[in-house]
Amino acid sequence: MDKLFDWDLYGKLFALPYVQAALVAAGILGLVAGVLGPLIVSRNMAFAVHGTSELSFTGGAAALLLGADVGHGALAGAIVAALVLGLLSRRSSEHDSVIGAVLSFGLGVGVLLLWFYPGRASNKFGLLVGQIVGVDFASIALLAICGVAVLLVLLVIYRPLLFASVDPEVARARGVPVGLLAVIFAVLVGVATALGVQTVGALLVLALMITPAASAARVTASPLRATALAVIFAETAALGGFILSLAPGAPVSAFVTGISFLIYLVCWTVGRMRGRVSIAAPAVVTGPVVAR
């Protein structure tokens, strides 16, 4: 516990190149997750994110076994997962069952691939719970390119995508390509999920993709304010979790999930208090207003 408050140790750690690279990686992931998160929540895609992360984990495990870059493997696995989920679950009634089938398949294959991998156990563990200190400046380039690409595509499709997310039936009647937007957005989510595999791991990527947006939804109904708050919450969790994990050398995902959940509890409390105030406010008027 004393290490958490050893500022001299933090000063030495922040001077290390791999720590600086990890901070940049956490910042990029926080931004992308915060921007995509409110749309994921409004489209009820939390389970889809978990399913995508499983095939992202499978792609990373395959890359680890083949000696390729884990980031590229996770990215390929996530894109495949997004396309599979988008094409197989055309109807909302079968969406969860398709995700469940893909999720279990991806996790099973990933575990088998890790069993074949003869290398260090820490590399296997890092795919599941994150290993952000392993991110180098070459990986930062991939993170930055993917992050910018996701944000640019989202900027182009944001208005029709938001329309389709709020009221898909009316959007379809107005000529909005709801099905195509769903597939494109699934790919964007897949790319963002792949970025989180090396940072918080495949099992806990929901802490950045879902929890900050769910927290923002508790305190505001405005899409723009929710996005701004989700970015702030995601950056706080990503950067704060990484910084707190540095001195003790603990897994970063534990701190990221802890901060995310603490933010959610605070926002949930604020939302509940606001709800009680709005319900109690009309009770102030107890009788008809008499004109004088």
Side-chain angles (χ1 to χ4, degrees):
M1 183 62 68
D2 294 338
K3 291 183 178 180
L4 289 176
F5 305 100
D6 190 343
W7 305 117
D8 292 334
L9 178 59
Y10 275 112
K12 295 176 182 178
L13 290 172
F14 285 147
L16 299 176
Y18 73 87
V19 172
Q20 297 170 4
L23 283 171
V24 174
I28 294 173
L29 179 60
L31 176 62
V32 175
V35 172
L36 290 178
L39 288 168
I40 295 173
V41 171
S42 67
R43 297 174 69 88
N44 297 317
M45 290 181 61
F47 192 34
V49 171
H50 188 47
T52 303
S53 69
E54 301 303 343
L55 279 188
S56 179
F57 156 73
T58 304
L64 193 63
L65 180 62
L66 297 175
D69 184 84
V70 173
H72 290 89
L75 183 60
I79 293 176
V80 170
L83 292 174
V84 169
L85 294 178
L87 294 175
L88 293 183
S89 57
R90 295 296 184 92
R91 294 181 299 179
S92 58
S93 59
E94 61 185 16
H95 190 64
D96 286 349
S97 60
V98 170
I99 295 173
V102 173
L103 185 154
S104 58
F105 171 75
L107 185 59
V109 173
V111 169
L112 180 63
L113 292 175
L114 285 186
W115 180 74
F116 281 119
Y117 178 66
R120 296 183 301 171
S122 60
N123 291 333
K124 304 177 182 181
F125 190 65
L127 278 176
L128 294 173
V129 298
Q131 196 175 19
I132 193 171
V133 293
V135 177
D136 54 17
F137 285 102
S139 300
I140 293 296
L142 177 64
L143 287 170
I145 292 172
C146 291
V148 170
V150 167
L151 295 177
L152 287 177
V153 173
L154 186 63
L155 181 65
V156 173
I157 68 172
Y158 182 79
R159 288 179 64 86
L161 180 63
L162 181 61
F163 186 17
S165 301
V166 174
D167 198 334
E169 297 302 326
V170 175
R172 187 177 290 107
R174 294 285 184 88
V176 176
V178 176
L180 178 61
L181 289 175
V183 174
I184 294 175
F185 185 66
V187 173
L188 296 182
V189 171
V191 173
T193 302
L195 300 182
V197 169
Q198 285 185 286
T199 306
V200 295
L203 296 182
L204 299 174
V205 73
L206 293 176
L208 283 179
M209 297 296 294
I210 303 299
T211 310
S215 303
R218 287 285 179 178
V219 296
T220 182
S222 168
L224 293 180
R225 284 197 294 268
T227 301
L229 286 175
V231 170
I232 294 173
F233 295 159
E235 291 286 8
T236 301
L239 294 173
F242 172 65
I243 291 172
L244 289 177
S245 71
L246 275 177
V252 63
S253 55
F255 292 94
V256 171
T257 54
I259 294 174
S260 293
F261 188 64
L262 180 62
I263 293 173
Y264 180 80
L265 287 179
V266 171
C267 292
W268 181 85
T269 303
V270 171
R272 293 279 293 181
M273 292 176 63
R274 284 183 177 179
R276 290 175 182 175
V277 170
S278 63
I279 292 175
V284 175
V285 181
T286 58
V289 178
V290 180
R292 293 182 179 180

